[in-house]
Amino acid sequence: MILVTGGAGFIGSNFVLQWIAHESGPVVNLDKLTYAGNPDNLADLKGDTRHLLVRGDINDRALVGKLLREHRPRAIVHFAAESHVDRSIHGPTDFVHTNILGTFSLLEEARSFWSELKEPDRSGFRFLHVSTDEVYGSLAPHDPAFTETTPYAPNSPYAASKAASDHLVRSYHHTYGLPTVTTNCSNNYGPYQFPEKLIPLMVLNGLRRKPLPVYGDGQNVRDWLYVEDHCVAVRLVLGKGRAGETYNIGGRCEMTNLEVARAICVLLDEARPRDAPHEKLIGFVKDRPGHDRRYAMDTRKIEAEFGWKPKESFATGLRKTVEWYLDNAKWVERVTSGEYQRWIEANYSNREMGNRK
Ligand code: NAD
Ligand code: TYD
């Protein structure tokens, strides 16, 4: 039995689906079901007794304590977070509430539960904290990639809240001996990603012949990783990671946002030749404030210790992703109403589209 938090979100749901397909233990999935949490992501597990979805907040300590004592998990895999940088700029409060205070609450409850365990359960227990490369700040073009010892320099409220949570996790190992492991991963893409993030936003806008908004000059660089490869890495770290350690995960796949947009357009041209060329939809819009220029992960530690390497290249992963959005029109329809429409209005209405490609 493991307790997953945020398992109805993008990466969490991919992780739960992969876990049920490849591992033997059941999963209790604690998720607040915010705008980003979607039980539809877990529809394939309907009726499967190995998965229990519990709607609740990680800040609800009574609930977390009860779940831990009822189900006695051997690990907590902590995905739950507010995860979108632009939203953190519009309103950072939820980021402090969930990412910092929520992680603190979860750590406190985990510590209390873990301290009651007897050996060998006590040393075998794991608190796996899922974090991001954004805690390390921004790289100049020729800087070496982030390693596990790069000093933290978060620049957005999102990154700062994740950095704070990473520090709390570190301190719970150092001070109380809680067996924690932290993973810091680069940008993910793949099935079930909420279309506020770059890749699904561009895929869906392109299919609807809507503008593809590139922030600033489009030269910001991200290191892209297919979500299933991330989930494999998390499973490996959960099984083999040494308590107190942190592991960088990334795709060794640096691309500018403009390159990503163009790659999506090529695939959309194939899928919808009548609307080609989709590139004409690309346009530059007002930049994100404090926009980090470049992220890149040095993944030698996880590669050397566990032999992990991504299976998908950007070309194969992006093709799978575009196909998934084409094949799952119902899912798309359900997530792109209501709350989503309000967000699009809030984020893009003051970014006038200029310089159409
Ligand atoms: P997401 O926004 O798609 O999903 C987050 C999930 O957490 C949702 O299901 C939401 O309902 C749930 N949640 C939010 N607040 C909660 C609360 N207070 N209590 C319980 N559940 C709550 O996020 P994601 O992209 O799947 O990211 C998952 C984790 O991975 C996050 O911690 C994020 O920081 C990290 N991460 C994401 C990326 C990426 O590219 N998406 C990269 C590296 C690390
Ligand atoms: P995003 O998917 O929000 O992830 P993150 O900010 O966590 O890296 O954005 C990825 C990159 O794409 C980032 O440099 C911002 C840029 N971007 C755009 O150019 N246009 C958009 O509409 C969005 C959402 C992002």
Side-chain angles (χ1 to χ4, degrees):
M1 163 70 65
I2 60 168
L3 174 67
V4 169
T5 71
F10 162 49
I11 305 173
S13 60
N14 276 282
F15 178 83
V16 170
L17 292 169
Q18 193 182 94
W19 181 273
I20 294 289
H22 294 281
E23 310 270 349
S24 54
V27 176
V28 174
N29 183 353
L30 173 62
D31 196 297
K32 188 177 175 183
L33 300 182
T34 67
Y35 78 92
N38 183 356
D40 285 355
N41 299 2
L42 301 157
D44 289 353
L45 299 179
K46 210 168 172 205
D48 193 324
T49 53
R50 291 172 301 166
H51 174 247
L52 175 67
L53 179 62
V54 178
R55 183 175 195 172
D57 192 322
I58 52 170
N59 279 291
D60 183 345
R61 287 185 52 178
L63 173 64
V64 172
K66 183 170 148 287
L67 289 175
L68 289 172
R69 281 170 188 83
E70 241 173 60
H71 298 285
R72 311 199 66 74
R74 66 177 175 82
I76 297 174
V77 187
H78 178 33
F79 292 97
E82 288 293 332
S83 67
H84 190 35
V85 173
D86 292 316
R87 283 188 193 255
S88 82
I89 295 166
H90 285 252
T93 308
D94 287 348
F95 289 73
V96 171
H97 178 79
T98 287
N99 300 0
I100 306 180
L101 297 176
T103 301
F104 166 70
S105 300
L106 200 61
L107 281 165
E108 274 293 89
E109 287 306 314
R111 176 165 79 93
S112 157
F113 170 69
W114 166 77
S115 64
E116 295 161 9
L117 294 177
K118 306 254 176 310
E119 289 299 348
D121 293 349
R122 191 177 156 86
S123 43
F125 186 81
R126 285 290 179 276
F127 184 104
L128 192 154
H129 176 59
V130 178
S131 191
T132 167
D133 56 0
E134 307 198 20
V135 298
Y136 297 122
S138 184
L139 293 168
H142 300 293
D143 283 346
F146 300 127
T147 70
E148 288 80 0
T149 56
T150 300
Y152 275 29
N155 289 319
S156 70
Y158 164 66
S161 66
K162 291 297 291 186
S165 67
D166 293 9
H167 290 324
L168 282 168
V169 171
R170 177 190 158 90
S171 77
Y172 271 62
H173 174 71
H174 195 79
T175 303
Y176 304 113
L178 186 70
T180 64
V181 270
T182 296
T183 54
N184 293 88
C185 189
S186 64
N187 284 64
N188 282 216
Y189 67 100
Y192 303 111
Q193 188 165 31
F194 192 77
E196 63 187 356
K197 305 276 168 64
L198 179 71
I199 288 183
L201 181 104
M202 296 235 157
V203 171
L204 297 184
N205 277 14
L207 288 173
R208 293 165 180 175
R209 296 181 293 279
K210 286 186 176 167
L212 307 181
V214 173
Y215 295 168
D217 63 3
Q219 295 307 307
N220 301 68
V221 171
R222 297 292 182 266
D223 173 356
W224 293 97
L225 179 68
Y226 190 64
V227 63
E228 288 180 11
D229 284 319
H230 182 192
C231 295
V232 169
V234 170
R235 281 167 52 217
L236 273 171
V237 172
L238 188 61
K240 302 182 177 187
R242 285 170 289 130
E245 291 290 319
T246 69
Y247 295 89
N248 280 0
I249 303 170
R252 288 183 181 252
C253 171
E254 290 185 52
M255 313 248 315
T256 66
N257 294 336
L258 195 54
E259 286 170 335
V260 171
R262 287 188 173 137
I264 291 169
C265 289
V266 170
L267 292 173
L268 293 178
D269 288 350
E270 268 181 41
R272 296 275 195 276
R274 279 207 317 209
D275 297 329
H278 288 80
E279 253 202 46
K280 66 177 183 289
L281 298 171
I282 295 177
F284 296 98
V285 298
K286 194 169 151 215
D287 209 352
R288 171 188 282 173
H291 196 175
D292 283 340
R293 197 61 175 167
R294 174 177 165 240
Y295 303 141
M297 281 304 227
D298 183 329
T299 52
R300 281 177 294 178
K301 181 172 173 181
I302 190 169
E303 288 169 13
E305 288 196 20
F306 310 138
W308 175 84
K309 268 210 181 331
K311 238 177 66 190
E312 302 294 341
S313 65
F314 191 68
T316 61
L318 190 65
R319 183 172 288 280
K320 281 188 174 183
T321 304
V322 171
E323 281 168 6
W324 188 87
Y325 282 92
L326 283 167
D327 292 345
N328 287 274
K330 253 213 180 106
W331 183 95
V332 170
E333 202 185 295
R334 286 176 63 146
V335 301
T336 51
S337 55
E339 159 81 16
Y340 178 74
Q341 293 304 342
R342 283 191 292 280
W343 164 250
I344 294 296
E345 180 58 28
N347 192 43
Y348 295 97
S349 62
N350 66 347
R351 294 181 195 263
E352 213 157 282
M353 194 81 164
N355 310 330
R356 287 286 170 88
K357 292 290 301 169

